[in-house]
Amino acid sequence: MNEMPHILVVDDHREIRAAVTRYLEKNGMRATAAQDAAEMDAKLATGHFDLIVLDVMMPGEDGLSVCRRLSGEGGLPILMLTALGQETDRIVGLEIGADDYLPKPFNPRELLARIKAILRRSDRSEPLAGSLAGKKVRFAQWVLDSDRRVLIDGNGQETALTGADFKLLTVLLERARLVLSRDQLMDLTAGRRAAPLDRTIDNQISRLRRKIEKDPMQPRLIITVRNGGYSLAADVEVMNE
Amino acid sequence: MNEMPHILVVDDHREIRAAVTRYLEKNGMRATAAQDAAEMDAKLATGHFDLIVLDVMMPGEDGLSVCRRLSGEGGLPILMLTALGQETDRIVGLEIGADDYLPKPFNPRELLARIKAILRRSDRSEPLAGSLAGKKVRFAQWVLDSDRRVLIDGNGQETALTGADFKLLTVLLERARLVLSRDQLMDLTAGRRAAPLDRTIDNQISRLRRKIEKDPMQPRLIITVRNGGYSLAADVEVMNE
DNA sequence: AACAGTTGATACATTCTGCGACAAAACTCT
DNA sequence: AGAGTTTTGTCGCAGAATGTATCAACTGTT
């Protein structure tokens, strides 16, 4: 997490919104407030957020409904605020997809600690996502020029990459040495879920290997992990401008 | 998450350990218990876990200390159990690196929901070779190149390893001279529990021996411990880059 | 409209792994 | 020591997973 995390606070009480946003901003975060689900949707559509603090009890669409809706689509983490003692709500919230809840009234310091705990965790899921934009990246015997989408070898020889090649390679570079399942790769490269018996990723790996491996029959860079997926076996260095 | 998640329950009260593990196992998870920090460390070294449920109050090293230690290294998610009302502990726990806490006494259904919430957002990908990822490792007459998954002998001769060979060897190298049971090996290599009469590990050991032993009929590197399992009898040295 | 390039699907070849079966070895007990 | 029992070693095979050639659909260009 390089920049300040951006938190969206959704609560119908003006005082709570104000207090929470002020406290978060005093502690190294950006905070934006919304007073109901409709306003939340508007803010979400036009900005980038790292986490939503969501009140369960709201006029209009309530927190549980919002939570169900959001956790279905995006993977935006949600921290729910519940009235004290409504254990049922809390459990249902967690089961529906909230990442945490906090009973009201709450200690702002605890809210902050919980937000950080969630961010720390979800941070992992997109470690360097998009961070390669415009950079040059060195790995194994190659340098990837991510502006031009071209690979350059030690002799200055260039190899062109297609869109799919480039996207897949970028995803692997950003997660070097991690084993990524076909599902994850499909999600990360194409944003869709792999159908059963879908060989798309295998095909793309095969094509990419033909371009980047010295000997595509004995791949050294992109390793197959049976029953696991694929893994990039190389150190990755983002080059200085 | 393809397989059942494996939860390590650390608590000094026998009844709580028993109740929690039983409940988790009834709900589609594997659960293993440890009664204190020392036993926890032993289990961690010889098994694969996805999350730790950790009691704060324990004889010996206490939960906060454990939490600080673990969150430094591994990144294994931690859910802390705290005595009711000790808000300070809870906040400190979260700040130290716990992913969540639950005050005792707790509703088992809520514990389950929280565990699932953490697993859902942490669903982490792991490096293929654990702590050896990307390293070269010398043992006996071999050097293992863990990027390329090949063994190199003194003459530079290479021996290819299949995925299962490599995973098993990696697990053994990381735990040289420890005796690992078939169950533990199954857990560490495949993340699943060995069925009764399961000869899978024996087979893999046999195949691996054929590749790494000078005389596979008289194994010197991978030792059989009757009624115990197998053990790697060699010094292991991670080589400098 | 023809074309070149790219991508996903399908089919087939190849490799890998778990399993059952049986052999061999180790251990126990008399 | 010998017979019986348990544990381990490994062979062969079938099913599953993977690699990739080929083709059809699609995109954008000329």
Side-chain angles (χ1 to χ4, degrees):
Chain A
M1 188 102 33
N2 289 327
E3 314 134 357
M4 294 195 302
H6 194 176
I7 314 296
L8 182 57
V9 180
V10 187
D11 195 303
D12 54 319
H13 296 88
R14 169 186 303 277
E15 319 82 52
I16 295 187
R17 283 202 307 276
V20 170
T21 54
R22 199 168 343 107
Y23 186 78
L24 293 180
E25 285 175 346
K26 268 199 299 197
N27 286 280
M29 301 187 173
R30 295 175 59 198
T32 300
Q35 64 175 315
D36 57 26
E39 192 178 345
M40 178 193 79
D41 286 330
K43 307 263 181 184
L44 280 179
T46 57
H48 167 266
F49 297 90
D50 300 288
L51 183 144
I52 301 178
V53 174
L54 181 64
D55 189 21
V56 176
M57 300 275 283
M58 289 190 304
E61 188 183 5
D62 83 352
L64 289 181
S65 159
V66 171
C67 184
R68 189 182 297 111
R69 183 155 60 83
L70 291 182
S71 70
E73 27 181 291
L76 206 48
I78 298 173
L79 191 157
M80 295 217 313
L81 301 177
T82 72
L84 187 61
Q86 298 186 230
E87 186 173 293
T88 309
D89 270 4
R90 310 194 313 231
I91 297 177
V92 170
L94 286 170
E95 285 174 348
I96 273 179
D99 291 90
D100 203 353
Y101 75 84
L102 197 57
K104 289 199 216 181
F106 54 84
N107 175 334
R109 194 169 152 225
E110 178 166 3
L111 175 65
L112 186 66
R114 284 181 173 283
I115 287 177
K116 284 184 179 167
I118 297 176
L119 291 177
R120 185 166 50 235
R121 186 52 68 190
S122 63
D123 196 22
R124 248 182 272 264
S125 61
E126 39 180 331
L128 296 165
S131 68
L132 299 183
K135 301 269 174 61
K136 294 199 167 112
V137 184
R138 192 198 309 276
F139 67 102
Q141 73 271 37
W142 296 105
V143 172
L144 171 69
D145 181 334
S146 66
D147 268 342
R148 301 177 47 222
R149 305 193 160 205
V150 171
L151 281 169
I152 306 162
D153 71 10
N155 305 319
Q157 278 292 309
E158 298 194 350
T159 303
L161 294 174
T162 70
D165 291 338
F166 177 75
K167 185 68 193 161
L168 177 57
L169 179 57
T170 302
V171 163
L172 289 170
L173 286 170
E174 284 168 349
R175 296 166 184 78
R177 293 196 198 287
L178 293 184
V179 178
L180 299 172
S181 68
R182 279 160 241 271
D183 255 335
Q184 288 174 306
L185 288 170
M186 190 62 127
D187 192 16
L188 291 165
T189 57
R192 63 200 178 88
R193 183 171 289 269
L197 302 182
D198 195 331
R199 309 299 311 286
T200 301
I201 292 297
D202 301 66
N203 273 292
Q204 309 230 288
I205 291 280
S206 174
R207 284 166 177 145
L208 181 55
R209 275 177 176 159
R210 238 170 287 167
K211 296 193 178 179
I212 73 173
E213 298 277 2
K214 284 202 185 101
D215 176 6
M217 306 293 287
Q218 303 243 308
R220 162 182 177 10
L221 286 173
I222 301 180
I223 300 257
T224 301
V225 181
R226 189 171 239 255
N227 288 312
Y230 297 94
S231 175
L232 181 77
D235 293 315
V236 174
E237 175 197 358
V238 178
M239 297 168 70
N240 305 333
E241 314 294 313
Chain B
M1 188 100 38
N2 289 327
E3 308 126 4
M4 294 197 301
H6 193 177
I7 314 296
L8 181 58
V9 179
V10 187
D11 196 304
D12 54 317
H13 296 88
R14 170 187 301 278
E15 319 83 52
I16 294 187
R17 285 202 305 276
V20 170
T21 54
R22 200 168 342 106
Y23 187 79
L24 293 180
E25 284 175 345
K26 268 199 302 197
N27 286 279
M29 301 187 174
R30 296 177 57 197
T32 300
Q35 64 175 315
D36 56 26
E39 191 177 346
M40 179 194 78
D41 286 328
K43 307 262 182 187
L44 281 179
T46 57
H48 168 266
F49 297 92
D50 300 291
L51 183 145
I52 301 179
V53 174
L54 180 64
D55 190 20
V56 176
M57 299 276 283
M58 288 191 303
E61 186 183 5
D62 84 350
L64 290 182
S65 160
V66 170
C67 185
R68 191 181 297 111
R69 182 156 60 83
L70 291 181
S71 71
E73 29 180 292
L76 204 50
I78 297 173
L79 192 158
M80 295 216 314
L81 300 178
T82 72
L84 187 59
Q86 299 184 229
E87 184 173 295
T88 310
D89 271 4
R90 311 193 314 230
I91 297 176
V92 171
L94 285 170
E95 286 176 346
I96 272 179
D99 291 88
D100 202 354
Y101 75 85
L102 196 57
K104 290 198 213 180
F106 52 85
N107 176 334
R109 196 170 151 221
E110 178 165 4
L111 175 66
L112 185 68
R114 285 183 172 281
I115 288 176
K116 284 185 180 167
I118 297 177
L119 291 177
R120 183 169 346 104
R121 67 172 181 259
S122 72
D123 189 19
R124 331 166 274 152
S125 339
E126 292 179 12
L128 172 58
S131 63
L132 301 179
K135 303 270 176 60
K136 292 199 165 87
V137 184
R138 192 198 307 278
F139 66 103
Q141 73 271 37
W142 296 105
V143 173
L144 170 70
D145 181 335
S146 71
D147 264 348
R148 301 180 47 214
R149 299 200 295 183
V150 293
L151 284 167
I152 306 162
D153 71 10
N155 305 319
Q157 276 293 307
E158 296 192 352
T159 303
L161 295 173
T162 70
D165 292 337
F166 176 74
K167 186 69 193 166
L168 177 58
L169 179 56
T170 301
V171 162
L172 289 170
L173 285 170
E174 286 180 310
R175 296 167 185 79
R177 298 198 196 283
L178 282 184
V179 178
L180 298 170
S181 70
R182 280 158 242 270
D183 253 334
Q184 291 171 325
L185 288 170
M186 191 63 131
D187 191 8
L188 290 164
T189 57
R192 64 198 178 90
R193 183 181 291 274
L197 302 182
D198 195 330
R199 310 302 313 287
T200 299
I201 292 297
D202 301 68
N203 272 287
Q204 304 214 309
I205 291 281
S206 173
R207 285 166 176 146
L208 181 56
R209 274 176 175 158
R210 242 170 284 170
K211 296 194 178 179
I212 74 173
E213 298 278 2
K214 283 203 183 100
D215 176 7
M217 307 294 288
Q218 305 252 309
R220 292 177 169 287
L221 285 173
I222 301 180
I223 301 278
T224 302
V225 179
R226 190 165 237 260
N227 288 313
Y230 297 94
S231 173
L232 181 76
D235 292 316
V236 174
E237 174 197 0
V238 177
M239 296 168 71
N240 305 332
E241 314 292 314

